[in-house]
Amino acid sequence: MQLLWNNKVVIFDRTDFGPSNLSLPPHLCRHDPRDHALQTDCTAHSLLYCVDTNTFRPLKVQTDTWCSSGSVLPNGTLTQTGGFNDGDHVLRMFTPCDDYSCDWVEFPGYLSQRRWYASNQILPDGRIIIVGGRRQFNYEFYPRSSRGSNLYTLDFLRETRDAHENNLYPFLHLLPDGNLFIFANTRSISLDYKRNRVVQEFPPITGGEPRNYPSSGSSVMLPINETQAIEAEVLVCGGAPPGAVSQALRGNFVSASLTCGRLKVTDENPNWVMEEMPVARVMGDMLLLPTGDVIIINGARLGAAGWEYGRSPVTNPVIYLPFGDVNRRFLVMSGSIRPRMYHSSAVLLPDGRILVGGSNPHVYYNFTNVLYPTDLSLEAYSPPYTSPAFSSLRPHILSLDENLLYGQSFSIVFNVCEYTNDRVLSANIVAPSFTTHTVAMNQRMVVLRVESVMQEVGNTYRLSVVGPSTPEIAPPGYYMLFVVHSGIPSHGSWVKIH
């Protein structure tokens, strides 16, 4: 799933399991002689969901997007890469529109190598780096370089592959110095991708538990705060112990990882600081909330990612307070009635809710006589800050500059019924994630520097804020901007950073 700047969410699934239950418009059938299930298919395997109206329409994706990756370009176009079979070298684009004319545009053979289980990251110059994939120990860029090769070897990916891989969908985070943090299996590095040089290797995560697919933990970079000295800290939670996949193949489903690790990458001598979650979790999605807290949602207590490898769904989300008391950082929330296991997904919405969808731990869609039936529903989780009990503290953005320049001041006008004080007020920007397989690619939060707060008329206030300092702090493109007051966020407003 990927949220776009017009409040629509692109959702897609693999194409090679037969027909779906959503028909394509007349005369738009897929004709694909290489498809493993149907060479002629008049049903959709992608759709566009409108958050505002709770409606959807079919989209036509031609080649197989199974286990692919994506990023949004600075102009708002979703650029989606790779997949399986005839889709593994394909680049696809979806550009939002105001009518029903927009659909997928595909570029077969664009990618240098097969990209199946790869990860993407938007870069400060607007390019996208595409890293790894199954048996791919390299990376490349979109758009291609006009000078020389577009393919670069990365031995780190070969070194982190074990008997069950555990280095697929590597975690990528763009660091404030412009280098790329890459985590695979239990190890992590800082990569200078401009020079194809590993700048630093960090200590392995404590405990030796793999965190990447199919052991499938999740990761975020904690908010970058421009009101203080710039730091970069990575959080990795969940996963599965070594051998979890081979155990699951024998019908023995071992406990998932109970731990989270934090690594302050900008420290002189970075080391992992470990914490325990309230419940073990594999296949959990981890998203940044507008408040700067982190939600961990979906997943299982036992097993690993893969068809039929997981047991004991975890239906209770957990909210992690990264700057709270060390012994009280995890809050267990009310649970859903629906298991969200393998192939589920989650994204943050502008109103602060979490859109959750899917779950299919089977080779094909299977709705009956199985332990965890295929679930094609969408639901939204509402964090505590959405409660009407906080309506008097909730800011409402009335106007703002929608185009932000690096390092330049801009104004936000908002109202709030019960203003407390300036110390509990912040303006936070969040880049929406491309979420698949517990990896929320490109998500990012920056706490902007507030210059002044002025009361205007009644409960209306004007906030003077400075745009992000550099593209390394916040790459160009669309972000949701939230005014947060006393821990309660406004509805997000879209801004574009140039």
Side-chain angles (χ1 to χ4, degrees):
M1 296 200 290
Q2 171 74 60
L3 173 69
L4 302 172
W5 62 266
N6 59 354
N7 290 346
K8 292 181 171 60
V9 181
V10 175
I11 303 174
F12 57 86
D13 201 346
R14 49 191 281 221
T15 64
D16 62 350
F17 56 82
S20 75
N21 201 33
L22 178 62
S23 295
L24 288 167
H27 315 298
L28 272 184
C29 295
R30 292 174 59 246
H31 301 286
D32 186 350
R34 294 184 59 189
D35 193 279
H36 288 174
L38 281 177
Q39 281 72 53
T40 298
D41 186 356
C42 297
T43 64
H45 302 282
S46 178
L47 61 83
L48 189 65
Y49 172 72
C50 180
V51 177
D52 298 333
T53 62
N54 194 33
T55 57
F56 59 88
R57 68 176 178 91
L59 300 175
K60 180 185 177 183
V61 62
Q62 174 68 24
T63 53
D64 199 350
T65 54
W66 182 24
C67 303
S68 51
S69 51
S71 294
V72 176
L73 291 171
N75 67 359
T77 293
L78 171 59
T79 301
Q80 202 274 317
T81 47
F84 181 64
N85 190 24
D86 62 348
D88 60 8
H89 283 68
V90 176
L91 181 136
R92 308 170 191 86
M93 289 189 167
F94 183 87
T95 300
C97 60
D98 295 328
D99 54 22
Y100 292 93
S101 63
C102 44
D103 209 333
W104 288 105
V105 178
E106 305 200 17
F107 301 89
Y110 186 92
L111 300 173
S112 301
Q113 298 292 322
R114 181 195 205 200
R115 298 298 172 191
W116 193 30
Y117 299 94
S119 294
N120 294 13
Q121 173 65 52
I122 190 75
L123 298 175
D125 59 6
R127 291 185 300 162
I128 296 166
I129 188 169
I130 307 152
V131 179
R134 177 156 282 165
R135 291 183 289 278
Q136 295 298 330
F137 313 116
N138 50 63
Y139 60 93
E140 61 182 293
F141 297 92
Y142 173 82
R144 294 170 178 155
S145 171
S146 59
R147 303 182 302 274
S149 173
N150 192 47
L151 187 68
Y152 301 87
T153 299
L154 185 58
D155 289 333
F156 169 76
L157 294 176
R158 188 186 306 276
E159 296 164 4
T160 52
R161 184 177 189 267
D162 63 24
H164 294 287
E165 297 179 297
N166 285 323
N167 70 340
L168 301 180
Y169 280 129
F171 304 143
L172 308 181
H173 300 295
L174 178 66
L175 298 176
D177 63 4
N179 292 324
L180 187 68
F181 178 89
I182 306 177
F183 185 104
N185 202 320
T186 62
R187 294 169 54 189
S188 54
I189 59 171
S190 174
L191 174 71
D192 180 348
Y193 53 85
K194 295 177 181 178
R195 297 178 174 84
N196 190 29
R197 181 171 64 92
V198 174
V199 177
Q200 184 175 7
E201 177 155 2
F202 303 101
I205 193 167
T206 306
E209 292 178 316
R211 308 289 177 150
N212 297 85
Y213 185 91
S215 290
S216 291
S218 51
S219 176
V220 299
M221 186 165 68
L222 295 177
I224 297 173
N225 193 337
E226 294 249 57
T227 69
Q228 59 190 36
I230 297 298
E231 295 180 338
E233 188 167 12
V234 171
L235 174 70
V236 175
C237 289
V245 172
S246 57
Q247 290 288 333
L249 284 167
R250 294 195 289 269
N252 180 29
F253 302 95
V254 300
S255 177
S257 175
L258 188 63
T259 61
C260 292
R262 289 174 63 157
L263 182 72
K264 192 171 289 187
V265 181
T266 45
D267 276 359
E268 186 174 346
N269 295 297
N271 281 291
W272 291 96
V273 177
M274 306 303 292
E275 301 178 61
E276 286 195 354
M277 297 183 287
V279 61
R281 193 180 305 241
V282 64
M283 296 182 285
D285 288 291
M286 197 151 61
L287 297 170
L288 292 164
L289 297 175
T291 55
D293 299 327
V294 179
I295 188 168
I296 311 172
I297 195 168
N298 303 336
R301 289 179 176 84
L302 304 175
W307 289 324
E308 318 297 345
Y309 289 173
R311 293 293 187 273
S312 187
V314 184
T315 58
N316 292 84
V318 169
I319 292 181
Y320 176 74
L321 312 176
F323 307 109
D325 183 282
V326 70
N327 297 313
R328 298 183 180 179
R329 286 182 175 166
F330 292 96
L331 305 176
V332 180
M333 300 290 107
S334 299
S336 170
I337 62 171
R338 296 178 180 274
R340 299 288 184 178
M341 307 276 281
Y342 190 41
H343 292 138
S344 59
S345 192
V347 293
L348 174 69
L349 297 177
D351 61 9
R353 295 178 302 160
I354 305 299
L355 182 67
V356 179
S359 182
N360 186 34
H362 315 295
V363 176
Y364 297 104
Y365 282 5
N366 200 330
F367 301 98
T368 58
N369 300 319
V370 289
L371 189 57
Y372 306 113
T374 300
D375 191 323
L376 302 181
S377 67
L378 293 175
E379 62 183 328
Y381 170 72
S382 298
Y385 54 65
T386 62
S387 169
F390 300 117
S391 59
S392 64
L393 296 173
R394 191 179 319 284
H396 299 272
I397 296 174
L398 304 178
S399 65
L400 80 165
D401 298 325
E402 296 180 351
N403 289 282
L404 309 186
L405 300 177
Y406 289 104
Q408 299 297 305
S409 298
F410 67 99
S411 294
I412 307 169
V413 178
F414 69 95
N415 64 19
V416 61
C417 290
E418 295 183 19
Y419 187 78
T420 52
N421 62 71
D422 299 356
R423 295 190 303 276
V424 293
L425 188 69
S426 64
N428 303 339
I429 55 172
V430 181
S433 64
F434 176 96
T435 306
T436 185
H437 290 75
T438 80
V439 182
M441 302 177 197
N442 309 290
Q443 76 166 327
R444 190 177 200 82
M445 175 182 288
V446 179
V447 179
L448 300 177
R449 183 165 61 88
V450 174
E451 292 182 309
S452 64
V453 186
M454 294 179 57
Q455 186 172 8
E456 295 200 325
V457 179
N459 296 323
T460 301
Y461 298 81
R462 180 177 294 273
L463 196 59
S464 179
V465 183
V466 180
S469 54
T470 67
E472 288 75 22
I473 297 290
Y478 285 92
Y479 290 73
M480 292 176 281
L481 185 147
F482 298 89
V483 174
V484 181
H485 170 252
S486 294
I488 308 301
S490 68
H491 191 290
S493 293
W494 288 99
V495 296
K496 186 178 183 181
I497 298 175
H498 301 267

